[in-house]
Amino acid sequence: MALPQTKLDATDARLNALSLPAGPAWLVEARETALARVRAMGLPSRRDEYWKYTRPDTLVQADPVPAALFDGAEAPVFDGIDALHVVFVDGAFDADASDDLTGEGLEITRLADAPDIHWAKDLYGRLETNGQTPVERPLAALNSAFATDGVLIRVTAAVARPVNISYYHRAETSDATLHHVVKLEEGASLTLLENGAGAARLNTVLEVEVADNASFNHVRAQGRDHERRAATHIFTRLGTESAFKSFTLTANGVMTRNECVIELTGDDAIAHVAGACMGDGKDFHHDDTVFITHDALRCESRQVFKKVLRNGATGVFQGKILVKEGAQKTDGYQISQSMLLDDDSQFLAKPELEIYADDVACSHGSTTGAIDETALFYLQSRGVPTDQATDLLVLAFLAEAVEEIEAEELRDEITARLQGWLERRRA
């Protein structure tokens, strides 16, 4: 079916401002194929079903909206964690700030340095392509076509030391497009950390293939720049008895759209995806969109998302669990909740279940409410000032999502950051 003229014009305007990066033949072919997908589906508009709660205008226009630099004095998240550090500044790899890209059980290559023969040939853009059905995700296809850099990580063993990707925003008009691919071989494990705003406008794709008996843990803190805009995408495919766990912390920013598409294709696989969000101000808009497909026996999935909104902020959650025919003994859980600290903020939710198997345990729920006045009064009656009592209840509300982080050290780091941000705001 032909695209509406308005969508066609918007897509052409964006694509005409871009050119495909150079690279080896396999990568050029993958980029050209992705570009064809973008042209066929068109860039998103508010009329698209999965964008009706979020205006994609600033994410698809030719030039990014300038974003003032954030001058927070605090150290980057995860700086105190012993990890292999990979640094990008406004979408460009910073070799001087990064560690040597080697480690036991790890094979890491920059996308910009990908050779003519590389294992990523069979993965780059493949999971993103699978994730286009049944819902089109054109910003992810745009990324696969035009990403200028990223990291390709092959994991062959149980890696104890995390890989930490840090994104720094140093130019007010920077426009970064990064694409990462992670392949975990059978029995391997890795923890991947991400932190920072990255650019005035950031588009990232993370493709993760988790082989049989492998496990992948992902913890992300998206940076506190007040004016940044970001569209992020995670695509993952899980093998037999494998595990995937991802947590995202978001504070500040103008526009954030986080998409996560998970395929459980091996029996007894586990996938958990969670997020904690704190939004302040009428310009704040945060959208979590998740699609999990169960296509194997006895698989488990959890979606846990919590948002705290104030001063006119907007939060969005769109989550779907699809259980295919034959995916018996599926255990699917989904919860999205918001705490509104004033009457001007809003939370828009669209939870979905689509089930074609008859022996499953699936549930979903979504709630929106103000702070618990009884609990607030209890704390006040014991001498806790109102602002401090409110912060304690906010932390308690977000705790269920934070508890999805598997490593205690990382869980404590995220909790400490939340506490610090709330205390500084109160001060």
Side-chain angles (χ1 to χ4, degrees):
M1 185 174 68
L3 296 176
Q5 191 61 45
T6 53
K7 176 173 280 199
L8 185 61
D9 291 343
T11 301
D12 287 343
R14 180 74 173 113
L15 296 180
N16 289 340
L18 299 169
S19 57
L20 291 178
W26 63 266
L27 187 53
V28 170
E29 181 182 355
R31 285 168 169 160
E32 290 174 344
T33 302
L35 177 58
R37 290 197 297 276
V38 178
R39 292 193 185 280
M41 66 183 74
L43 292 177
S45 71
R46 194 69 179 273
R47 290 182 177 273
D48 296 336
E49 175 66 20
Y50 278 85
W51 286 90
K52 68 179 183 180
Y53 297 140
T54 299
R55 297 189 66 89
D57 310 30
T58 57
L59 298 175
V60 302
Q61 65 189 42
D63 297 313
V65 178
L69 304 184
F70 180 69
D71 59 357
E74 64 185 330
V77 182
F78 310 131
D79 252 23
I81 303 294
D82 179 25
L84 189 158
H85 294 276
V86 182
V87 177
F88 291 91
V89 179
D90 291 318
F93 177 72
D94 188 334
D96 293 335
S98 301
D99 293 337
D100 181 34
L101 301 185
T102 59
E104 187 174 350
L106 285 174
E107 177 188 323
I108 305 178
T109 307
R110 284 182 57 202
L111 178 64
D113 295 336
D116 293 334
I117 299 176
H118 196 270
W119 57 263
K121 173 184 177 180
D122 297 325
L123 271 184
Y124 184 94
R126 299 297 176 88
L127 300 186
E128 174 262 301
T129 301
N130 292 346
Q132 299 292 347
T133 304
V135 178
E136 293 180 342
R137 306 178 193 280
L139 288 180
L142 184 75
N143 177 292
S144 294
F146 295 102
T148 54
D149 213 341
V151 287
L152 311 173
I153 304 175
R154 180 169 171 258
V155 190
T156 58
V159 179
R161 190 184 183 204
V163 173
N164 180 24
I165 305 177
S166 297
Y167 308 103
Y168 290 94
H169 171 205
R170 301 273 170 76
E172 292 189 353
T173 57
S174 55
D175 194 9
T177 306
L178 296 169
H179 194 115
H180 310 305
V181 180
V182 181
K183 177 180 176 63
L184 292 105
E185 302 288 1
E186 184 172 352
S189 63
L190 176 71
T191 296
L192 179 68
L193 311 176
E194 294 185 274
N195 74 91
R201 181 171 66 182
L202 179 68
N203 182 333
T204 66
V205 164
L206 171 63
E207 295 184 285
V208 185
E209 182 168 75
V210 189
D212 297 351
N213 299 295
S215 64
F216 178 77
N217 285 286
H218 175 236
V219 183
R220 174 172 58 176
Q222 291 192 295
R224 298 186 59 218
D225 284 34
H226 292 293
E227 298 181 5
R228 59 134 172 93
R229 290 166 170 81
T232 77
H233 314 83
I234 299 174
F235 298 92
T236 187
R237 181 170 58 203
L238 283 80
T240 301
E241 296 184 359
S242 63
F244 170 92
K245 295 185 178 181
S246 177
F247 169 86
T248 299
L249 172 65
T250 306
N252 298 353
V254 172
M255 161 71 72
T256 304
R257 165 88 166 203
N258 295 326
E259 296 197 25
C260 187
V261 181
I262 299 173
E263 297 177 89
L264 296 112
T265 60
D267 295 343
D268 301 294
I270 296 173
H272 292 194
V273 57
C277 163
M278 295 196 307
D280 193 345
K282 61 181 178 59
D283 293 329
F284 180 93
H285 187 103
H286 185 271
D287 181 336
D288 283 305
T289 295
V290 181
F291 199 113
I292 297 180
T293 300
H294 287 259
D295 195 14
L297 297 172
R298 299 178 301 276
C299 292
E300 171 188 302
S301 69
R302 285 176 59 86
Q303 301 175 48
V304 181
F305 288 87
K306 300 291 190 85
K307 301 181 193 288
V308 178
L309 307 168
R310 71 174 86 199
N311 296 325
T314 298
V316 175
F317 174 78
Q318 301 178 106
K320 182 165 185 174
I321 300 172
L322 170 62
V323 182
K324 289 191 173 181
E325 186 176 356
Q328 304 293 3
K329 303 295 183 181
T330 286
D331 181 358
Y333 172 79
Q334 178 194 100
I335 187 71
S336 62
Q337 296 178 316
S338 70
M339 177 186 289
L340 306 183
L341 300 182
D342 57 49
D343 293 335
D344 297 323
S345 299
Q346 62 174 337
F347 177 60
L348 307 169
K350 184 185 178 186
E352 297 179 84
L353 293 177
E354 188 173 344
I355 302 172
Y356 297 99
D358 57 11
D359 186 7
V360 303
C362 292
S363 64
H364 66 182
S366 182
T367 64
T368 300
I371 200 163
D372 187 332
E373 293 295 339
T374 301
L376 184 63
F377 175 77
Y378 177 86
L379 293 171
Q380 290 171 323
S381 66
R382 279 147 182 80
V384 181
T386 301
D387 288 347
Q388 187 176 348
T390 299
D391 289 350
L392 289 172
L393 294 175
V394 165
L395 289 172
F397 174 75
L398 296 174
E400 182 183 3
V402 177
E403 285 297 317
E404 289 293 315
I405 301 173
E406 186 167 273
E408 183 178 358
E409 182 182 22
L410 297 174
R411 197 162 56 239
D412 292 344
E413 169 77 6
I414 293 296
T415 300
R417 291 299 174 131
L418 286 168
Q419 290 173 332
W421 296 343
L422 290 169
E423 288 171 1
R424 282 192 292 276
R425 176 178 290 161
R426 188 169 67 246

